[in-house]
Coordinates of all heavy atoms in Angstrom, one line a residue:
M1 N 5.2 -15.7 8.4 CA 4.5 -14.5 8.1 C 3.0 -14.7 8.3 O 2.4 -15.5 7.6 CB 4.8 -14.3 6.6 CG 5.0 -12.9 6.0 SD 5.6 -11.5 6.9 CE 7.2 -11.3 6.1
D2 N 2.4 -13.9 9.1 CA 0.9 -13.9 9.1 C 0.4 -12.6 8.8 O 1.2 -11.7 8.4 CB 0.4 -14.3 10.7 CG 0.9 -13.2 11.6 OD1 1.2 -12.1 11.3 OD2 1.0 -13.7 12.8
C3 N -1.0 -12.4 8.8 CA -1.6 -11.3 8.2 C -1.2 -10.0 8.9 O -1.0 -8.9 8.2 CB -3.1 -11.5 8.2 SG -3.7 -12.8 7.2
K4 N -1.0 -10.0 10.2 CA -0.7 -8.9 10.9 C 0.7 -8.4 10.5 O 1.0 -7.2 10.4 CB -0.7 -9.1 12.4 CG -2.0 -8.9 13.1 CD -1.9 -8.9 14.6 CE -3.4 -8.9 15.1 NZ -3.5 -9.3 16.5
K5 N 1.7 -9.3 10.4 CA 3.1 -9.0 9.9 C 2.9 -8.5 8.5 O 3.8 -7.5 8.3 CB 3.8 -10.3 10.0 CG 5.3 -10.1 9.5 CD 6.0 -9.5 10.8 CE 7.5 -9.3 10.3 NZ 8.1 -8.0 10.7
I6 N 2.1 -8.9 7.7 CA 2.0 -8.4 6.3 C 1.6 -6.9 6.3 O 2.1 -6.2 5.5 CB 0.9 -9.2 5.5 CG1 1.5 -10.7 5.2 CG2 0.6 -8.5 4.2 CD1 2.7 -10.7 4.3
Q7 N 0.6 -6.6 7.2 CA 0.3 -5.2 7.3 C 1.4 -4.3 7.6 O 1.5 -3.1 7.1 CB -0.8 -5.0 8.4 CG -2.0 -5.8 8.2 CD -3.3 -5.0 8.1 OE1 -3.4 -4.0 8.7 NE2 -4.2 -5.5 7.3
D8 N 2.4 -4.8 8.3 CA 3.6 -4.0 8.7 C 4.5 -3.9 7.6 O 5.2 -2.8 7.3 CB 4.5 -4.6 9.7 CG 3.7 -4.6 11.2 OD1 2.8 -3.7 11.3 OD2 4.0 -5.3 12.0
V9 N 4.6 -4.9 6.6 CA 5.6 -4.8 5.5 C 5.0 -4.5 4.2 O 5.8 -4.3 3.2 CB 6.3 -6.2 5.5 CG1 7.1 -6.4 6.8 CG2 5.5 -7.4 5.1
I10 N 3.7 -4.5 4.1 CA 3.1 -4.4 2.7 C 3.4 -3.1 2.0 O 3.6 -3.1 0.8 CB 1.6 -4.7 2.8 CG1 1.0 -5.0 1.3 CG2 0.8 -3.5 3.3 CD1 -0.1 -6.0 1.4
F11 N 3.6 -2.0 2.7 CA 3.9 -0.7 2.1 C 5.3 -0.8 1.5 O 5.5 -0.3 0.3 CB 3.9 0.4 3.1 CG 2.5 1.0 3.2 CD1 1.7 0.5 4.2 CD2 1.9 1.9 2.3 CE1 0.4 1.0 4.4 CE2 0.7 2.3 2.5 CZ -0.1 2.0 3.5
N12 N 6.3 -1.5 2.3 CA 7.6 -1.6 1.6 C 7.5 -2.5 0.4 O 8.2 -2.1 -0.6 CB 8.5 -2.3 2.7 CG 8.9 -1.4 3.8 OD1 8.7 -0.1 3.8 ND2 9.4 -1.9 4.9
F13 N 6.7 -3.5 0.5 CA 6.5 -4.4 -0.6 C 6.1 -3.7 -1.8 O 6.7 -3.8 -3.0 CB 5.6 -5.6 -0.2 CG 5.4 -6.6 -1.2 CD1 6.4 -7.6 -1.5 CD2 4.3 -6.5 -2.1 CE1 6.3 -8.5 -2.5 CE2 4.1 -7.5 -3.1 CZ 5.1 -8.5 -3.3
V14 N 5.0 -2.9 -1.7 CA 4.4 -2.2 -2.9 C 5.3 -1.2 -3.4 O 5.4 -0.9 -4.5 CB 3.0 -1.6 -2.5 CG1 2.5 -0.8 -3.7 CG2 2.1 -2.8 -2.2
Y15 N 6.1 -0.5 -2.4 CA 7.1 0.5 -2.8 C 8.3 -0.1 -3.5 O 9.1 0.6 -4.0 CB 7.4 1.4 -1.7 CG 6.5 2.6 -1.4 CD1 5.9 2.7 -0.2 CD2 6.4 3.6 -2.4 CE1 5.1 3.8 0.1 CE2 5.6 4.6 -2.1 CZ 4.9 4.7 -0.9 OH 4.2 5.8 -0.6
G16 N 8.5 -1.4 -3.2 CA 9.7 -2.0 -3.8 C 10.8 -1.8 -2.9 O 12.0 -1.8 -3.3
E17 N 10.6 -1.7 -1.6 CA 11.7 -1.4 -0.7 C 11.9 -2.4 0.3 O 12.5 -2.3 1.4 CB 11.3 0.0 0.0 CG 11.5 1.2 -0.8 CD 11.0 2.5 -0.2 OE1 10.6 2.4 1.0 OE2 11.0 3.5 -0.8
S18 N 11.2 -3.6 0.2 CA 11.4 -4.8 1.0 C 12.8 -5.3 0.8 O 13.4 -5.3 -0.3 CB 10.4 -5.9 0.7 OG 9.1 -5.5 0.6
S19 N 13.3 -5.8 2.0 CA 14.5 -6.6 1.9 C 14.2 -7.9 1.0 O 13.0 -8.3 1.0 CB 15.1 -7.0 3.2 OG 14.1 -7.8 3.8
E20 N 15.3 -8.7 0.7 CA 15.1 -9.9 -0.1 C 14.3 -10.9 0.6 O 13.2 -11.4 0.1 CB 16.4 -10.5 -0.5 CG 16.3 -11.7 -1.4 CD 16.2 -11.2 -2.9 OE1 16.1 -10.0 -3.2 OE2 16.2 -12.1 -3.7
A21 N 14.5 -11.1 1.9 CA 13.8 -12.1 2.7 C 12.4 -11.7 2.9 O 11.5 -12.5 2.8 CB 14.5 -12.3 4.0
E22 N 12.2 -10.4 3.1 CA 10.9 -9.8 3.3 C 9.9 -10.0 2.1 O 8.8 -10.4 2.1 CB 11.0 -8.3 3.6 CG 9.9 -7.8 4.5 CD 10.2 -6.3 5.1 OE1 9.9 -5.4 4.4 OE2 10.8 -6.3 6.2
L23 N 10.6 -9.6 0.9 CA 9.9 -9.7 -0.4 C 9.5 -11.1 -0.7 O 8.3 -11.3 -1.0 CB 10.8 -9.3 -1.4 CG 10.3 -9.0 -2.8 CD1 10.7 -7.7 -3.4 CD2 10.8 -10.1 -3.8
L24 N 10.3 -12.1 -0.4 CA 9.9 -13.5 -0.6 C 8.9 -13.9 0.2 O 7.9 -14.5 -0.2 CB 11.1 -14.3 -0.6 CG 12.3 -14.2 -1.6 CD1 13.4 -15.1 -1.3 CD2 11.6 -14.6 -3.0
A25 N 8.9 -13.6 1.5 CA 8.0 -14.0 2.5 C 6.6 -13.4 2.2 O 5.6 -14.0 2.3 CB 8.5 -13.7 3.8
T26 N 6.7 -12.2 1.8 CA 5.4 -11.4 1.5 C 4.7 -11.9 0.3 O 3.6 -12.2 0.3 CB 5.7 -9.9 1.2 OG1 6.4 -9.3 2.3 CG2 4.4 -9.0 1.1
R27 N 5.6 -12.2 -0.7 CA 4.9 -12.7 -2.0 C 4.4 -14.1 -1.7 O 3.3 -14.4 -2.2 CB 6.1 -12.9 -3.0 CG 5.7 -13.0 -4.4 CD 6.7 -13.2 -5.4 NE 7.4 -12.0 -5.7 CZ 8.7 -11.9 -6.1 NH1 9.4 -13.0 -6.2 NH2 9.2 -10.8 -6.4
D28 N 5.1 -14.8 -0.9 CA 4.7 -16.2 -0.5 C 3.2 -16.2 0.1 O 2.3 -16.8 -0.2 CB 5.6 -16.9 0.2 CG 5.3 -18.4 0.5 OD1 5.1 -19.2 -0.4 OD2 5.1 -18.7 1.7
H29 N 3.1 -15.2 1.1 CA 1.9 -15.1 1.8 C 0.7 -14.6 0.9 O -0.4 -15.2 1.0 CB 2.0 -14.0 2.9 CG 0.8 -13.9 3.8 ND1 0.5 -14.7 4.9 CD2 -0.2 -13.1 3.7 CE1 -0.6 -14.4 5.4 NE2 -1.1 -13.3 4.7
L30 N 1.0 -13.7 0.0 CA 0.0 -13.1 -0.8 C -0.5 -14.2 -1.7 O -1.7 -14.1 -2.2 CB 0.6 -11.9 -1.7 CG 0.9 -10.6 -0.8 CD1 1.5 -9.7 -1.7 CD2 -0.3 -10.1 -0.2
E31 N 0.3 -15.2 -2.2 CA -0.3 -16.2 -3.0 C -1.2 -17.2 -2.3 O -2.1 -17.7 -2.8 CB 0.9 -17.1 -3.5 CG 1.6 -16.5 -4.7 CD 2.9 -17.3 -5.1 OE1 3.1 -18.5 -4.6 OE2 3.8 -16.7 -5.8
K32 N -1.1 -17.2 -0.9 CA -1.9 -18.1 -0.2 C -3.2 -17.4 0.5 O -4.0 -18.0 0.7 CB -1.1 -18.7 0.9 CG 0.0 -19.7 0.3 CD 0.9 -20.1 1.5 CE 2.0 -20.9 0.9 NZ 3.2 -20.9 1.9
C33 N -3.0 -16.1 0.7 CA -4.0 -15.4 1.4 C -4.7 -14.4 0.6 O -4.2 -13.4 0.2 CB -3.3 -14.7 2.6 SG -4.5 -13.8 3.7
G34 N -6.0 -14.7 0.2 CA -6.9 -13.7 -0.7 C -7.0 -12.4 0.0 O -7.1 -11.4 -0.8
D35 N -7.3 -12.4 1.3 CA -7.5 -11.0 1.9 C -6.3 -10.2 1.8 O -6.5 -9.1 1.4 CB -7.8 -11.3 3.4 CG -9.1 -11.8 3.6 OD1 -9.9 -11.9 2.7 OD2 -9.4 -12.4 4.7
C36 N -5.2 -10.7 2.1 CA -3.9 -9.7 1.9 C -3.7 -9.3 0.4 O -3.3 -8.3 0.2 CB -2.7 -10.5 2.5 SG -2.9 -10.4 4.3
A37 N -3.9 -10.4 -0.5 CA -3.8 -10.1 -1.9 C -4.6 -9.0 -2.3 O -4.2 -8.1 -3.1 CB -4.0 -11.3 -2.7
R38 N -5.9 -9.0 -1.8 CA -6.8 -7.9 -2.2 C -6.4 -6.5 -1.6 O -6.5 -5.6 -2.3 CB -8.3 -8.2 -1.7 CG -9.1 -8.8 -2.7 CD -10.5 -8.8 -2.2 NE -10.8 -9.5 -1.0 CZ -10.9 -10.8 -0.9 NH1 -10.8 -11.6 -2.0 NH2 -11.1 -11.4 0.3
E39 N -5.9 -6.6 -0.4 CA -5.4 -5.5 0.3 C -4.3 -4.9 -0.5 O -4.2 -3.6 -0.7 CB -5.0 -5.6 1.6 CG -5.0 -4.6 2.5 CD -4.9 -5.1 4.0 OE1 -6.0 -5.1 4.6 OE2 -3.8 -5.2 4.5
K40 N -3.4 -5.7 -1.0 CA -2.2 -5.2 -1.8 C -2.7 -4.6 -3.1 O -2.1 -3.5 -3.5 CB -1.4 -6.4 -2.1 CG 0.0 -6.0 -2.8 CD 0.6 -7.1 -3.6 CE 0.5 -6.7 -5.0 NZ 0.7 -7.8 -6.0
Q41 N -3.7 -5.1 -3.7 CA -4.2 -4.5 -4.9 C -4.7 -3.1 -4.7 O -4.6 -2.2 -5.5 CB -5.3 -5.4 -5.6 CG -4.7 -6.6 -6.2 CD -5.9 -7.5 -6.8 OE1 -7.0 -7.4 -6.6 NE2 -5.4 -8.5 -7.6
V42 N -5.5 -3.0 -3.5 CA -6.0 -1.7 -3.2 C -5.0 -0.6 -2.9 O -4.9 0.5 -3.5 CB -6.9 -1.8 -1.9 CG1 -7.3 -0.3 -1.4 CG2 -8.1 -2.6 -2.1
I43 N -3.9 -1.1 -2.4 CA -2.7 -0.2 -2.1 C -2.1 0.2 -3.4 O -1.8 1.3 -3.6 CB -1.7 -0.8 -1.0 CG1 -2.4 -1.0 0.3 CG2 -0.5 0.0 -1.0 CD1 -1.6 -1.7 1.3
E44 N -1.9 -0.8 -4.2 CA -1.2 -0.6 -5.5 C -2.0 0.6 -6.3 O -1.5 1.4 -7.0 CB -1.2 -1.8 -6.3 CG 0.1 -2.6 -6.0 CD 0.3 -3.9 -6.7 OE1 -0.7 -4.4 -7.3 OE2 1.4 -4.3 -6.9
K45 N -3.4 0.3 -6.4 CA -4.3 1.3 -7.1 C -4.1 2.7 -6.5 O -4.0 3.6 -7.3 CB -5.8 0.8 -6.9 CG -6.3 0.2 -8.2 CD -7.7 0.0 -8.0 CE -8.2 -1.4 -8.6 NZ -9.4 -1.8 -8.2
L46 N -4.1 2.8 -5.2 CA -4.0 4.0 -4.6 C -2.6 4.7 -4.9 O -2.5 5.8 -5.0 CB -4.3 4.0 -3.0 CG -5.8 3.8 -2.8 CD1 -5.9 3.4 -1.3 CD2 -6.6 5.0 -3.1
L47 N -1.6 3.9 -4.8 CA -0.2 4.4 -5.0 C -0.1 4.9 -6.6 O 0.6 5.8 -6.8 CB 0.8 3.3 -4.9 CG 1.1 3.0 -3.4 CD1 2.1 1.9 -3.3 CD2 1.6 4.3 -2.7
D48 N -0.9 4.2 -7.5 CA -0.9 4.6 -8.9 C -1.6 6.1 -8.9 O -1.0 7.1 -9.5 CB -1.9 3.7 -9.6 CG -1.1 2.7 -10.4 OD1 0.2 2.7 -10.4 OD2 -1.7 1.9 -11.2
K49 N -2.6 6.4 -8.1 CA -3.2 7.6 -7.9 C -2.2 8.7 -7.4 O -2.1 9.8 -7.9 CB -4.5 7.6 -7.1 CG -5.6 6.9 -7.8 CD -6.9 7.2 -7.0 CE -8.0 6.3 -7.6 NZ -9.2 6.2 -6.6
I50 N -1.4 8.3 -6.5 CA -0.5 9.1 -5.9 C 0.5 9.5 -6.9 O 0.9 10.6 -7.1 CB 0.3 8.4 -4.8 CG1 -0.6 8.3 -3.5 CG2 1.6 9.3 -4.3 CD1 0.0 7.5 -2.3
K51 N 1.0 8.6 -7.8 CA 1.9 8.9 -8.9 C 1.3 9.9 -9.9 O 2.0 10.8 -10.2 CB 2.4 7.6 -9.6 CG 3.4 6.8 -8.9 CD 3.8 5.6 -9.6 CE 4.5 4.6 -8.7 NZ 4.3 3.3 -9.2
N52 N 0.0 9.7 -10.2 CA -0.6 10.6 -11.1 C -0.8 12.0 -10.4 O -0.5 13.0 -11.0 CB -2.1 10.2 -11.4 CG -2.1 9.0 -12.3 OD1 -1.1 8.7 -13.0 ND2 -3.2 8.2 -12.3
C53 N -1.0 12.0 -9.2 CA -1.1 13.2 -8.4 C 0.2 13.9 -8.3 O 0.3 15.1 -8.6 CB -1.5 12.7 -6.9 SG -2.2 13.9 -5.9
E54 N 1.3 13.2 -8.2 CA 2.6 13.8 -8.1 C 3.0 14.4 -9.6 O 3.7 15.4 -9.6 CB 3.6 12.8 -7.7 CG 3.5 12.6 -6.2 CD 4.6 11.5 -5.8 OE1 5.1 10.7 -6.6 OE2 4.9 11.3 -4.6
A55 N 2.5 13.8 -10.6 CA 2.8 14.2 -11.8 C 2.0 15.6 -12.2 O 2.5 16.3 -13.0 CB 2.5 13.1 -12.9
Q56 N 0.9 15.7 -11.5 CA 0.0 16.8 -12.0 C 0.1 18.0 -11.1 O -0.1 19.2 -11.5 CB -1.5 16.3 -11.8 CG -1.8 15.5 -13.0 CD -3.1 14.7 -12.9 OE1 -3.9 15.1 -12.0 NE2 -3.3 13.6 -13.6
E57 N 0.4 17.8 -9.7 CA 0.4 18.9 -8.8 C 1.8 19.3 -8.4 O 2.8 18.6 -8.4 CB -0.3 18.5 -7.6 CG -1.9 18.1 -7.9 CD -2.7 18.1 -6.6 OE1 -2.2 18.6 -5.5 OE2 -3.8 17.5 -6.7
T58 N 1.8 20.6 -8.2 CA 3.1 21.1 -7.7 C 3.4 20.9 -6.2 O 4.6 20.7 -5.9 CB 3.2 22.6 -8.1 OG1 2.1 23.3 -7.6 CG2 3.4 22.9 -9.5
V59 N 2.2 20.9 -5.5 CA 2.5 20.6 -4.0 C 2.3 19.1 -3.8 O 1.4 18.6 -3.2 CB 1.3 21.3 -3.2 CG1 1.6 21.4 -1.7 CG2 1.1 22.7 -3.7
T60 N 3.4 18.4 -4.1 CA 3.3 17.0 -4.2 C 3.4 16.4 -2.7 O 2.6 15.4 -2.6 CB 4.5 16.4 -4.9 OG1 5.8 16.9 -4.2 CG2 4.6 16.8 -6.4
E61 N 4.0 16.9 -1.8 CA 3.9 16.3 -0.5 C 2.6 16.4 0.1 O 2.2 15.4 0.7 CB 5.0 16.9 0.4 CG 6.4 16.5 0.1 CD 7.5 16.8 1.1 OE1 7.0 16.9 2.3 OE2 8.7 16.8 0.8
D62 N 2.0 17.4 0.1 CA 0.6 17.5 0.6 C -0.3 16.5 0.0 O -1.1 15.8 0.6 CB 0.0 19.0 0.3 CG -1.3 19.1 0.8 OD1 -1.5 18.9 2.0 OD2 -2.2 19.5 0.0
C63 N -0.2 16.4 -1.4 CA -1.1 15.5 -2.1 C -0.8 14.0 -1.8 O -1.6 13.3 -1.4 CB -0.7 15.6 -3.6 SG -1.6 14.5 -4.7
R64 N 0.5 13.7 -1.6 CA 0.9 12.3 -1.2 C 0.4 12.1 0.2 O 0.0 11.0 0.4 CB 2.5 12.4 -1.2 CG 3.0 10.9 -1.0 CD 4.5 11.1 -1.2 NE 5.1 9.9 -0.5 CZ 6.1 9.2 -0.9 NH1 6.6 9.4 -2.2 NH2 6.6 8.2 -0.3
D65 N 0.6 13.0 1.0 CA 0.1 12.7 2.5 C -1.4 12.5 2.5 O -1.7 11.7 3.2 CB 0.4 14.0 3.2 CG 1.8 14.2 3.7 OD1 2.6 13.2 3.5 OD2 2.3 15.1 4.3
R66 N -2.1 13.3 1.7 CA -3.6 13.1 1.7 C -3.8 11.6 1.2 O -4.7 11.0 1.7 CB -4.3 14.0 0.8 CG -4.6 15.4 1.5 CD -5.4 16.3 0.7 NE -4.6 17.0 -0.3 CZ -4.8 17.1 -1.5 NH1 -5.8 16.5 -2.1 NH2 -4.0 17.8 -2.3
M67 N -3.1 11.2 0.1 CA -3.4 9.8 -0.4 C -3.1 8.7 0.5 O -3.8 7.8 0.7 CB -2.7 9.7 -1.7 CG -3.2 10.6 -2.9 SD -4.9 10.4 -3.2 CE -5.2 8.8 -3.6
L68 N -1.9 9.0 1.3 CA -1.6 8.0 2.2 C -2.5 7.9 3.4 O -2.7 6.8 3.8 CB -0.1 8.4 2.8 CG 1.0 8.0 1.8 CD1 2.4 8.4 2.3 CD2 1.1 6.5 1.6
S69 N -3.1 9.0 3.9 CA -4.1 9.0 4.9 C -5.3 8.2 4.4 O -6.0 7.6 5.3 CB -4.3 10.4 5.5 OG -5.1 11.1 4.6
K70 N -5.7 8.5 3.1 CA -6.8 7.7 2.5 C -6.6 6.1 2.6 O -7.5 5.5 3.0 CB -7.1 8.1 1.1 CG -7.9 9.4 1.0 CD -8.3 9.5 -0.5 CE -8.9 10.9 -0.6 NZ -9.6 11.0 -2.0
I71 N -5.3 5.9 2.3 CA -4.9 4.4 2.3 C -5.0 3.9 3.7 O -5.7 2.8 3.9 CB -3.6 4.2 1.8 CG1 -3.5 4.6 0.2 CG2 -3.1 2.7 2.0 CD1 -2.0 4.6 -0.3
K72 N -4.6 4.6 4.6 CA -4.6 4.1 6.0 C -6.0 4.0 6.5 O -6.3 3.0 7.2 CB -3.7 5.0 6.9 CG -2.3 4.8 6.7 CD -1.4 5.7 7.4 CE 0.1 5.5 7.0 NZ 0.8 6.7 7.2
N73 N -6.8 5.0 6.1 CA -8.3 4.9 6.6 C -8.9 3.7 5.9 O -9.7 3.0 6.6 CB -9.0 6.1 6.1 CG -8.7 7.4 7.0 OD1 -8.2 7.2 8.1 ND2 -9.0 8.5 6.5
S74 N -8.6 3.4 4.7 CA -9.4 2.3 4.1 C -8.8 1.0 4.6 O -9.7 0.1 4.7 CB -9.2 2.4 2.5 OG -7.9 2.0 2.1
L75 N -7.5 0.9 5.0 CA -7.1 -0.2 5.7 C -7.7 -0.4 7.1 O -8.0 -1.5 7.5 CB -5.6 -0.2 5.7 CG -4.8 -0.3 4.5 CD1 -3.3 -0.3 4.8 CD2 -5.2 -1.7 3.8
A76 N -8.1 0.6 7.8 CA -8.7 0.6 9.0 C -10.2 0.4 8.9 O -10.9 0.2 9.9 CB -8.4 1.9 9.8
G77 N -10.7 0.1 7.6 CA -12.1 -0.2 7.5 C -13.0 1.0 7.6 O -14.2 0.9 7.5
E78 N -12.5 2.3 7.5 CA -13.2 3.5 7.5 C -13.4 3.9 6.1 O -12.6 3.8 5.2 CB -12.6 4.5 8.3 CG -12.6 4.2 9.8 CD -11.7 5.1 10.5 OE1 -11.3 6.1 10.1 OE2 -11.2 4.6 11.6
E79 N -14.4 4.8 5.7 CA -14.6 5.3 4.4 C -13.7 6.5 4.4 O -13.5 7.3 5.2 CB -16.1 6.0 4.4 CG -17.1 4.9 4.0 CD -16.9 4.4 2.7 OE1 -16.8 5.1 1.7 OE2 -16.9 3.1 2.6
P80 N -12.9 6.4 3.2 CA -11.9 7.6 3.1 C -12.7 8.9 2.9 O -13.6 8.9 2.3 CB -11.1 7.2 1.7 CG -11.9 6.1 1.3 CD -12.8 5.5 2.2
A81 N -12.1 9.9 3.6 CA -12.7 11.2 3.4 C -12.2 11.9 2.2 O -11.0 11.9 1.9 CB -12.3 12.1 4.6
S82 N -13.1 12.2 1.3 CA -12.8 12.9 0.1 C -12.8 14.3 0.0 O -13.8 14.9 0.7 CB -13.4 12.2 -1.1 OG -14.7 12.3 -0.9
Ligands
ZN1 ZN1 -3.0 -12.7 5.0

C-alpha cells in the first residue's frame, strides 16, 4: 500500500466501507505515514460536518455534495470555496 493507493481507498476507510484486507492495509499505512494520517483526520472532520449538515438540513444531498467537493478540493491542495 502506498500513498497513491491510500487516496483511492481512504474514503471507503473513513466511511467504514473498506473490505477486511483493505481496512488492515490502510490502517497499517496510516500508522507509518504521517501525511496520510493527517489527511484521514481532515476527511474525518469534514465527514463530521456532513453528518451535522444532514441532521440540520432538509436538502441533504445537495449539502453532502457540497461538502464532498470541499473535501476533494482540499485534497487537491486548493482552498475550499465557501
Ligand atoms: Zn502515505
Side-chain angles (χ1 to χ4, degrees):
M1 211 36 106
D2 63 24
C3 295
K4 274 189 187 162
K5 183 76 181 141
I6 291 292
Q7 301 240 329
D8 290 338
V9 301
I10 198 148
F11 278 96
N12 286 347
F13 182 79
V14 174
Y15 273 119
E17 290 173 357
S18 304
S19 67
E20 186 80 1
E22 206 172 88
L23 187 129
L24 290 175
T26 306
R27 195 184 283 154
D28 189 55
H29 182 91
L30 291 177
E31 276 175 18
K32 292 171 191 158
C33 181
D35 285 346
C36 290
R38 261 194 302 282
E39 199 161 273
K40 189 204 110 195
Q41 283 178 350
V42 170
I43 293 171
E44 277 180 336
K45 256 187 224 165
L46 288 169
L47 284 178
D48 265 0
K49 285 189 190 169
I50 290 176
K51 280 180 198 153
N52 289 339
C53 204
E54 283 176 344
Q56 285 165 20
E57 295 195 21
T58 47
V59 193
T60 58
E61 282 197 20
D62 177 58
C63 179
R64 185 177 157 139
D65 283 351
R66 270 187 283 130
M67 292 308 300
L68 281 175
S69 71
K70 278 194 188 190
I71 294 174
K72 282 171 189 158
N73 284 342
S74 74
L75 290 182
E78 293 164 22
E79 281 296 307
S82 54

